[in-house]
Amino acid sequence: QQQVKQSPQSLIVQKGGISIINCAYENTAFDYFPWYQQFPGKGPALLIAIRPDVSEKKEGRFTISFNKSAKQFSLHIMDSQPGDSATYFCAASLNDKIIFGKGTRLHILP
Amino acid sequence: GAGVSQSPRYKVAKRGQDVALRCDPISGHVSLFWYQQALGQGPEFLTYFQNEAQLDKSGLPSDRFFAERPEGSVSTLKIQRTQQEDSAVYLCASSPRTGMNTEAFFGQGTRLTVV
């Protein structure tokens, strides 16, 4: 059973456009929802995170929108740049572990 | 160094061989986690240490996998009698606080290939 479902699997966006990645979760006990960015050959790096009592969080060009009733959350990357090309993982955490989605490979066209 | 350090970066093992993967967390970090990342997939939880105590090992796929953190700092993940399905990147992460509902820092991983 996949507890965190992520879509799309891959995404191509023009430079300057908005990249949107969606996630849905099952367990209502999750209490922390981070997004990680991973470049080839590197470990995942925390990009931005939100807790379920907040509906939106913005940090620079990155925004998380969170819908608790629908058990969905999404990452928006504004003014997407070629340097944003990477794999993005949504995740959900409960106590001592993070459950990751399967990832979205994002490619920004120059 | 300032980050989480893992060694070796790459390991090729013959099927049936034992391997040991090392993780040096950020100094002073209480929590340490091991994850397994198969090609094209998200990381999957293996085990969690709070200081030297292994509080959760529910993700270890079999009794061939063993992890330790004897002094609450460096950790070793050992895989006995490696099999081809063990081929993956093994990621270590550490966090200054307990649990993972706070920022955790990942190392670059050890890519294990079993031939």
Side-chain angles (χ1 to χ4, degrees):
Chain A
Q1 180 187 7
Q2 189 180 348
Q3 295 195 56
V4 179
K5 295 183 179 179
Q6 182 172 350
S7 62
Q9 201 170 4
S10 62
L11 181 62
I12 299 175
V13 175
Q14 290 281 352
K15 179 182 175 182
I18 302 173
S19 303
I20 302 173
I21 304 171
N22 300 298
C23 276
Y25 63 96
E26 298 289 330
N27 190 342
T28 55
F30 287 138
D31 60 0
Y32 177 70
F33 299 87
W35 285 88
Y36 280 82
Q37 179 189 56
Q38 186 175 32
F39 293 103
K42 303 292 186 183
L46 180 66
L47 192 62
I48 185 172
I50 198 167
R51 298 194 186 274
D53 54 347
V54 176
S55 62
E56 185 176 281
K57 183 174 182 180
K58 183 176 180 179
E59 290 184 359
R61 296 185 294 111
F62 302 93
T63 300
I64 299 178
S65 297
F66 188 85
N67 186 330
K68 188 174 181 178
S69 60
K71 295 188 288 185
Q72 295 176 347
F73 59 111
S74 61
L75 175 70
H76 290 60
I77 306 174
M78 311 299 288
D79 187 26
S80 300
Q81 299 296 311
D84 296 330
S85 297
T87 299
Y88 292 80
F89 295 97
C90 64
S93 175
L94 177 63
N95 298 326
D96 61 5
K97 68 185 69 162
I98 282 188
I99 311 296
F100 285 84
K102 292 196 171 186
T104 296
R105 185 170 292 185
L106 175 65
H107 182 63
I108 307 301
L109 297 173
Chain B
V4 177
S5 178
Q6 292 188 245
S7 61
R9 286 293 316 278
Y10 305 92
K11 176 69 178 177
V12 178
K14 291 185 178 179
R15 190 169 50 187
Q17 185 179 355
D18 297 350
V19 299
L21 312 180
R22 177 186 169 107
C23 172
D24 284 83
I26 294 172
S27 178
H29 276 199
V30 170
S31 298
L32 186 145
F33 310 84
W34 284 98
Y35 278 77
Q36 180 190 59
Q37 186 173 24
L39 189 64
Q41 300 294 315
E44 293 197 1
F45 173 83
L46 293 176
T47 187
Y48 162 57
F49 289 86
Q50 184 177 320
N51 297 308
E52 69 278 4
Q54 189 174 20
L55 298 188
D56 189 337
K57 54 181 180 179
S58 62
L60 296 176
S62 77
D63 58 7
R64 296 185 297 104
F65 287 71
F66 172 75
E68 60 183 5
R69 194 187 185 197
E71 297 178 358
S73 178
V74 172
S75 177
T76 303
L77 176 67
K78 298 179 179 178
I79 308 174
Q80 297 177 325
R81 304 181 304 281
T82 52
Q83 301 178 6
Q84 284 191 318
E85 60 262 31
D86 300 334
S87 296
V89 174
Y90 290 85
L91 294 165
C92 176
S94 71
S95 171
R97 288 176 285 277
T98 59
M100 208 159 185
N101 55 357
T102 183
E103 181 166 10
F105 300 84
F106 281 84
Q108 293 193 41
T110 293
R111 181 178 295 277
L112 172 65
T113 303
V114 181
V115 298

